[in-house]
Amino acid sequence: MGNANPSVSVIDDDPEFRDSVVRLLRTVGLHTRQFSSVHDFLTADPPEGPTCLVLDVRMPGRSGLELQRDLAAANRQVPIIFITAHADVPMTVQAMKGGAIEFLTKPFRDQDLLDAVEAGLARDRARRESDRALAALRERFDTLSSREREVMLHVVTGRLNKQIANDIGIAESTVKVHRTHLMRKMKAHSLPELSRMADVLNMRSQQPQNS
């Protein structure tokens, strides 16, 4: 799944416009999917690889802006390039505040659309790589014992082995053993690296109670 090819979904109720966009995208080797409505897009299976949307603002049924809000509410982070024949400032501001890559007004230059699609696919590719890295980090954290997690929580706050031993009531030598094991399991080569992992895992919100 991580190596799946990128694709672009074109959502517009005008079949001639959809076809023209698809032809343009295919000239640069991009796989495309066409939808005539927001409903058709939402009922289709999501693509496996990096993706972005070329989305008309105004369509019968749900609008492009409504789809943008729906995706955000569902935490589906899909880069969007909006297309419209009738733009106004409030509409453009709303779309860009919602995280749109670009807002193009018909007629637009082919290269402007291709540049926007390239940026959208790059953003989605980076997000997917970040998600995979986080999932791998969580898997490593799940291999820690409860005591190793407790020691890790103290370590990343800057506590020394002797202080940790006193905090949780175990021997300093035992703390050293747990610390060695958790560093190996987390694949952390230094304390700063372990601390960055803790930040990614949001462990700072679980601050230990030091005695």
Side-chain angles (χ1 to χ4, degrees):
M1 181 176 293
N3 297 320
N5 291 328
S7 66
V8 181
S9 294
V10 183
I11 311 174
D12 195 294
D13 60 313
D14 182 345
E16 292 185 4
F17 176 75
R18 287 201 312 273
D19 288 342
S20 68
V21 171
V22 166
R23 285 195 300 271
L24 173 63
L25 296 175
R26 285 177 178 168
T27 64
V28 293
L30 285 171
H31 174 69
T32 60
R33 304 194 306 165
Q34 295 189 51
F35 302 96
S36 60
S37 68
V38 168
H39 176 267
D40 288 348
F41 169 75
L42 290 174
T43 54
D45 291 332
E48 293 187 346
T51 189
C52 70
L53 305 184
V54 175
L55 177 60
D56 191 12
V57 174
R58 290 195 174 101
M59 289 178 286
R62 296 189 70 74
S63 71
L65 291 173
E66 288 175 315
L67 174 59
Q68 183 185 39
R69 289 195 295 269
D70 290 346
L71 292 174
N75 198 30
R76 287 181 61 181
Q77 302 175 46
V78 185
I80 297 175
I81 297 118
F82 278 108
I83 304 290
T84 186
H86 309 285
D88 57 51
V89 173
M91 180 191 299
T92 305
V93 170
Q94 181 179 346
M96 300 309 287
K97 279 188 174 181
I101 292 286
E102 186 59 273
F103 196 105
L104 299 175
T105 304
K106 302 175 186 177
F108 50 82
R109 292 174 59 247
D110 288 352
Q111 192 59 48
D112 288 342
L113 178 59
L114 293 176
D115 289 346
V117 166
E118 182 180 357
L121 292 175
R123 178 186 292 185
D124 200 48
R125 190 177 292 109
R127 177 191 63 80
R128 287 167 180 265
E129 289 173 357
S130 176
D131 287 349
R132 285 194 293 272
L134 176 58
L137 182 60
R138 284 175 172 159
E139 285 182 6
R140 297 201 298 271
F141 182 73
D142 287 343
T143 67
L144 301 184
S145 68
S146 58
R147 181 65 88 184
E148 287 165 350
R149 293 184 191 186
E150 185 179 15
V151 170
M152 177 176 171
L153 194 55
H154 283 76
V155 167
V156 298
T157 62
R159 304 289 282 173
L160 302 176
N161 289 343
K162 183 176 182 179
Q163 294 172 316
I164 297 172
N166 183 65
D167 290 340
I168 60 181
I170 60 177
E172 184 178 351
S173 59
T174 305
V175 173
K176 291 178 180 178
V177 170
H178 287 314
R179 185 166 181 161
T180 299
H181 288 172
L182 73 89
M183 292 289 284
R184 175 180 52 80
K185 290 181 180 180
M186 293 301 293
K187 298 183 179 179
H189 301 97
S190 65
L191 178 55
E193 186 177 6
L194 187 70
S195 295
R196 286 192 294 272
M197 292 178 180
D199 287 338
V200 172
L201 292 168
N202 198 30
M203 290 184 68
R204 305 292 186 182
S205 62
Q206 310 167 37
Q207 294 293 343
Q209 296 298 316
N210 297 326
S211 28

